[in-house]
Amino acid sequence: MRWPIRATVGTVLVLMAATSSAQVTNGGFETGNFSGWTQFGDTGWDDVTSDGSFVAEGFYGARFGAFIAVGSGIEQAVPTMLGTYNLSFSYRWLEILGPSSVGYFRVYWDGAQIYEDTTYMSTTGWFHKTFAVTGSGSPTTLRFHMLNPYDYYALDNIRLDPVPAAVPEPALIQLPVLLGLSGIGLWRRRRRTA
């Protein structure tokens, strides 16, 4: 009787591992710094702050104010499994010195740009975005790149959650269950006759 129990436990463990969450390290910046992230570009005006204008949730948020054309940002290699994930984050533009005609907020997943905002709407508050992305089974680079020469961008609540696998139709479940039960029955019968 131990063999069917071990097989069942093994199957459950495999299914649990397949749905485990990829973790973005310090996605809410609650450490009070950029730990877990690699900064790049013109980072002289970038920091993590508790100023409420830059915090969507929690106690801290990231502030980006790149002044030169290379922009600035953060990136992180996120461990993923094969599958689909929901990447979500919150950001906003804060007008300090007035509107600028140049600038952008871009998001990249595995080297490909998946989002760009070149508008400036300081009165609308926070934007909350969610995108479906594919895990490669190895660390995948998540990158936020922005330029806002006279003002700031705020970024907070970066999450990467696995999308649950589709639930199979009941008819599709019945066949494997019946085959499994038949196998257990045959195994027990062979064991009794031996």
Side-chain angles (χ1 to χ4, degrees):
M1 188 71 167
R2 289 185 180 173
W3 178 84
I5 292 172
R6 287 181 185 160
T8 303
V9 169
T11 302
V12 169
L13 292 175
V14 167
L15 291 173
M16 287 172 59
T19 60
S20 66
S21 173
Q23 296 295 315
V24 173
T25 302
N26 197 21
F29 307 102
E30 295 304 312
T31 60
N33 57 38
F34 283 115
S35 64
W37 295 95
T38 301
Q39 293 181 264
F40 62 87
D42 177 22
T43 62
W45 297 90
D46 301 353
D47 66 351
V48 174
T49 179
S50 60
D51 178 334
S53 299
F54 297 90
V55 178
E57 185 177 294
F59 297 102
Y60 294 95
R63 172 172 43 198
F64 299 90
F67 207 82
I68 60 174
V70 296
S72 68
I74 54 176
E75 66 182 18
Q76 184 177 132
V78 182
T80 61
M81 297 183 71
L82 289 174
T84 304
Y85 294 86
N86 282 328
L87 168 64
S88 61
F89 56 90
S90 301
Y91 78 100
R92 71 181 292 194
W93 173 69
L94 287 99
E95 183 177 342
I96 306 298
L97 298 175
S100 169
S101 60
V102 297
Y104 51 81
F105 180 92
R106 297 177 181 153
V107 182
Y108 297 84
W109 177 257
D110 202 17
Q113 183 176 312
I114 61 170
Y115 181 71
E116 179 178 49
D117 183 359
T118 57
T119 61
Y120 301 100
M121 298 176 270
S122 61
T123 59
T124 59
W126 287 91
F127 292 96
H128 306 284
K129 299 291 183 180
T130 301
F131 298 92
V133 294
T134 303
S136 63
S138 60
T140 305
T141 302
L142 170 61
R143 180 180 179 110
F144 293 88
H145 188 189
M146 51 218 91
L147 172 65
N148 201 353
Y150 304 107
D151 303 305
Y152 286 100
Y153 275 109
L155 177 63
D156 205 358
N157 296 337
I158 304 165
R159 294 181 46 93
L160 188 64
D161 298 309
V163 174
V167 177
E169 293 292 324
L172 295 176
I173 295 173
Q174 290 173 356
L175 182 60
V177 169
L178 289 175
L179 289 174
L181 291 174
S182 298
I184 291 171
L186 289 173
W187 174 78
R188 289 184 73 184
R189 179 181 283 179
R190 289 183 67 205
R191 194 163 182 221
R192 282 185 193 160
T193 59

